[in-house]
Amino acid sequence: MLFRSETFERLNAIGIAPESLTAILVTHEHTDHIAGLQPIAKKLDIPIYLSRLTMPAIPWADGFMPKLEPFAAGASFPIGDIDVTSFTIPHDAIDPVGYSFKAEGLKFSIATDLGYMPDSVRFHLRESDVLLLESNHDLEMLKVGPYPWAIKKRIMGRIGHLSNEVARKFVQDHLNSRTSTLILGHLSAHNNHPAIVEQCARMALDERGLAARLVVAEPNQPTESFVY
């Protein structure tokens, strides 16, 4: 079967067969996160997990209704042999969440699309072996960049996106020594650069004396698979 979705192309590029997926988890309803959701759901016919308040915000065209598995934000639930925990994040969506995944003694956490780092989010990121954290924009690049001021203000706000500086400070002050792989992602294509992200995070890791592997997930590029 041929898959034309960009998501499938990226999976194939890193050697993961789309047919091997058993579930999809949605963080929130913004277009950049669900643009490929409907064709993927149609092709694979697998369960889609999302918060109960997010569920009605996602349109399904042509009468198609996928296998939805709604949950209350903050709930934990199993998917196969993986224990999933959702947690609320501060973003300008209806009911946005991040996730932590535990299996075979390992923990992987993801937190993107959040305007700041509340204690509750830091709590859920503790003891992560692998952490995917947002490092969305360089503040000075954003200020002089092409976006209208209203959008710049939204991005910089407490329900917007994490800057490189906020991500750096989290690494410097709160990253757990157990974390062996730190992935910085959701980089703005217009208001950031991978080299800046890497420099900021590397300085913080060195100041802490942490040996975590640093990976910068570049825009429009498939990220490698991580095997433990």
Side-chain angles (χ1 to χ4, degrees):
M1 182 182 295
L2 294 177
F3 296 111
R4 296 183 178 179
S5 166
E6 183 180 352
T7 299
F8 290 123
E9 292 174 1
R10 292 187 182 187
L11 286 171
N12 285 321
I14 58 174
I16 297 178
E19 298 89 344
S20 69
L21 301 181
T22 57
I24 299 170
L25 289 89
V26 176
T27 58
H28 61 290
E29 75 280 3
H30 287 171
T31 303
D32 59 329
H33 287 256
I34 66 163
L37 182 59
Q38 180 152 312
I40 293 171
K42 282 185 174 181
K43 291 286 187 181
L44 299 183
D45 192 33
I46 56 179
I48 298 173
Y49 292 79
L50 72 178
S51 81
R52 291 172 182 168
L53 297 181
T54 298
M55 182 173 64
I58 298 179
W60 302 101
D62 305 322
F64 171 71
M65 182 55 64
K67 299 175 180 178
L68 298 180
E69 296 286 347
F71 59 84
S76 297
F77 47 89
I79 300 179
D81 59 358
I82 300 174
D83 294 322
V84 182
T85 297
S86 65
F87 52 91
T88 296
I89 58 175
H91 191 51
D92 57 352
I94 292 175
D95 193 27
V97 296
Y99 293 104
S100 288
F101 308 88
K102 292 182 179 179
E104 299 182 2
L106 295 173
K107 178 179 179 179
F108 168 66
S109 300
I110 176 172
T112 70
D113 296 74
L114 64 166
Y116 71 105
M117 290 289 292
D119 291 343
S120 58
V121 172
R122 289 200 295 267
F123 173 83
H124 284 287
L125 302 186
R126 293 188 309 173
E127 303 297 323
S128 296
D129 295 281
V130 183
L131 172 61
L132 170 55
L133 180 66
E134 179 172 55
S135 191
N136 177 258
H137 60 276
D138 175 82
L139 190 57
E140 293 306 314
M141 288 182 67
L142 176 63
K143 288 179 178 178
V144 301
Y147 290 176
W149 173 246
I151 295 179
K152 293 179 182 181
K153 186 176 180 180
R154 168 191 170 263
I155 292 171
M156 292 185 290
R158 286 174 67 81
I159 52 174
H161 293 276
L162 289 189
S163 68
N164 296 340
E165 175 60 23
V166 175
R168 182 202 64 77
K169 186 168 178 55
F170 170 81
V171 173
Q172 181 174 305
D173 296 342
H174 301 286
L175 185 67
N176 197 275
S177 58
R178 174 171 169 170
T179 302
S180 58
T181 301
L182 171 64
I183 310 162
L184 296 177
H186 212 287
L187 277 65
S188 169
H190 299 288
N191 305 302
N192 212 347
H193 191 282
I196 299 175
V197 174
E198 181 173 5
Q199 181 182 37
C200 289
R202 180 64 62 194
M203 289 176 60
L205 289 171
D206 290 346
E207 289 177 9
R208 283 278 307 279
L210 297 176
R213 181 187 175 209
L214 177 61
V215 177
V216 177
E218 300 190 22
N220 303 315
Q221 297 292 329
T223 304
E224 65 183 276
S225 57
F226 299 89
V227 180
Y228 277 74

